Amino acid sequence: ECRVMAAFALIMGEEGGKRLEEKVLALVEAAVEGFVPDPLNKKAPYRRTGKSAYEDPNHPDGGGNVALAKENIITESYAHETIFQIATQLLVRRHFESALYAYGAGTSSLEHEGFATVSLYRSYLSESIILLAMGDVVAAKKEFMEVHLQKTDYLTSRECALEEDLVRACGDMDEEALEEARSKTGKHRGALGNLDATVRGLVMEIRVSGRATKEKKEKKVEASAGFRAHSKPKSKPSPKKKELSGAELQKSLDAGFAEMDNIMGQLGLNDDDDGGDDNINVRAGNNTRGSSNNYSNDGDDDDDDIDLT
């Protein structure tokens, strides 16, 4: 576990989905072998970096020292959980081959314990899901037929049923069957619910042909924002006002005052009118002229008595 923590400490502060540098990936895979030596890991060929510490050049088929590997496999309880956590981090960073290598180590650890059942079934299913996500349907089918089905207890599990439908759908290139198999409300919802969240998300990315691809929402947002930016009509810049000289400025001011006088004259507010009107005192419901010389024109009530209420 210390080797695992030391390896991931090199990427502290980086984005979660960023791929690992080769030197960091080499340390992570070496930490996985620290739990389960490569001679005992059926997915050892998927290792991307480095060489096994158990390589034996004198071995007939070029394999490793199996006897030494069995002596150094970690047999502590829940050791497989740390391995699966490593695999999850590798999946998040899209290192499918290295994640499959880690899942192979976890599977070997569970098989060595001999009493794990549900955890082992999830590991079998996860291995096939990763193979399908890599676009290797042939390898997934071979793994299912020649390895997973050889364990009798696995045949009746819901993980086996889901694995069978996924492998068959991809093998037949049946998009409809694939959608039905991974439906969140379908018959396999229980098996899907028991999977690791990252592996469950990977199931939704599987295609009937080719490697799984993940669309980035950030790009979609940027694209839509760019479309709106291009579709929005550009406002024309307002033309700069021409600065006026002294004579032109005076002429413009005179024209403006003349126009204002004309408007005031049309409204009956011109200063040339009778000066007696300046003392009009307008009150609600009453019309008086001059606070000291009030009078009323009794002969023309219809015209002068204006009710302003």
Side-chain angles (χ1 to χ4, degrees):
E1 291 184 4
C2 293
R3 298 179 67 180
V4 175
M5 295 173 65
F8 282 102
L10 297 175
I11 59 173
M12 290 181 67
E14 294 185 1
E15 296 179 5
K18 185 179 180 181
R19 291 181 66 85
L20 301 177
E21 297 180 5
E22 186 174 353
K23 63 179 181 180
V24 179
L25 185 60
L27 291 173
V28 172
E29 290 183 339
V32 171
E33 189 181 19
F35 285 90
V36 179
D38 283 2
L40 302 179
N41 186 351
K42 297 176 183 177
K43 297 298 182 292
Y46 290 95
R47 183 173 179 173
R48 299 290 90 187
T49 62
K51 294 182 179 180
S52 173
Y54 297 85
E55 274 191 0
D56 185 2
N58 299 322
H59 197 275
D61 57 358
N65 192 328
V66 178
L68 182 61
K70 288 182 177 179
E71 293 179 2
N72 290 280
I73 186 172
I74 302 299
T75 58
E76 294 180 2
S77 300
Y78 306 108
H80 61 276
E81 292 188 357
T82 302
I83 303 175
F84 289 150
Q85 289 175 1
I86 297 173
T88 298
Q89 292 299 319
L90 292 170
L91 283 177
V92 169
R93 291 165 172 81
R94 314 300 284 183
H95 292 285
F96 289 161
E97 288 80 6
S98 298
L100 184 59
Y101 168 70
Y103 261 103
T107 300
S108 298
S109 177
L110 290 169
E111 289 176 341
H112 184 78
E113 291 178 5
F115 56 84
T117 53
V118 177
S119 296
L120 180 60
Y121 299 162
R122 283 199 298 261
S123 185
Y124 283 164
L125 176 58
S126 299
E127 289 178 355
S128 291
I129 289 172
I130 296 173
L131 285 170
L132 293 175
M134 292 166 54
D136 197 345
V137 182
V138 176
K141 186 175 182 180
K142 182 179 180 180
E143 184 77 13
F144 176 64
M145 298 293 294
E146 298 181 5
V147 179
H148 299 168
L149 291 183
Q150 303 310 311
K151 192 171 184 61
T152 306
D153 296 341
Y154 183 64
L155 297 177
T156 57
S157 67
R158 51 189 179 184
E159 285 80 10
C160 180
L162 174 57
E163 181 181 359
E164 181 180 6
D165 286 353
L166 289 174
V167 171
R168 181 185 291 112
C170 292
D172 297 341
M173 300 187 71
D174 189 341
E175 186 71 35
E176 184 177 349
L178 177 60
E179 293 298 329
E180 182 180 353
R182 62 187 178 187
S183 173
K184 295 180 180 180
T185 58
K187 59 182 180 180
H188 298 304
R189 61 182 180 276
L192 286 170
N194 278 339
L195 287 173
D196 179 82
T198 304
V199 179
R200 185 165 58 247
L202 191 61
V203 174
M204 304 306 167
E205 299 176 25
I206 293 176
R207 300 188 299 176
V208 293
S209 63
R211 196 177 180 93
T213 56
K214 185 176 182 179
E215 297 181 359
K216 295 184 178 181
K217 295 182 179 180
E218 293 81 2
K219 290 185 176 181
K220 289 185 177 181
V221 173
E222 290 177 2
S224 60
F227 175 77
R228 290 195 298 269
H230 286 294
S231 61
K232 184 178 180 179
K234 296 182 178 180
S235 57
K236 295 181 180 180
S238 56
K240 294 183 178 180
K241 294 183 179 180
K242 182 180 178 181
E243 294 184 0
L244 301 177
S245 62
E248 292 176 344
L249 179 59
Q250 185 62 40
K251 184 178 179 180
S252 177
L253 289 174
D254 293 341
F257 286 134
E259 183 178 0
M260 187 179 297
D261 289 340
N262 184 31
I263 295 174
M264 293 178 67
Q266 293 177 2
L267 296 175
L269 301 175
N270 202 311
D271 291 337
D272 295 337
D273 291 345
D274 186 9
D277 292 339
D278 293 337
N279 295 326
I280 298 176
N281 183 18
V282 180
R283 297 177 183 174
N286 191 15
N287 228 12
T288 60
R289 295 177 181 266
S291 56
S292 59
N293 299 322
N294 295 338
Y295 70 92
S296 63
N297 191 349
D298 296 336
D300 195 8
D301 292 340
D302 295 336
D303 295 332
D304 295 334
D305 292 341
I306 302 174
D307 188 1
L308 299 179
T309 58

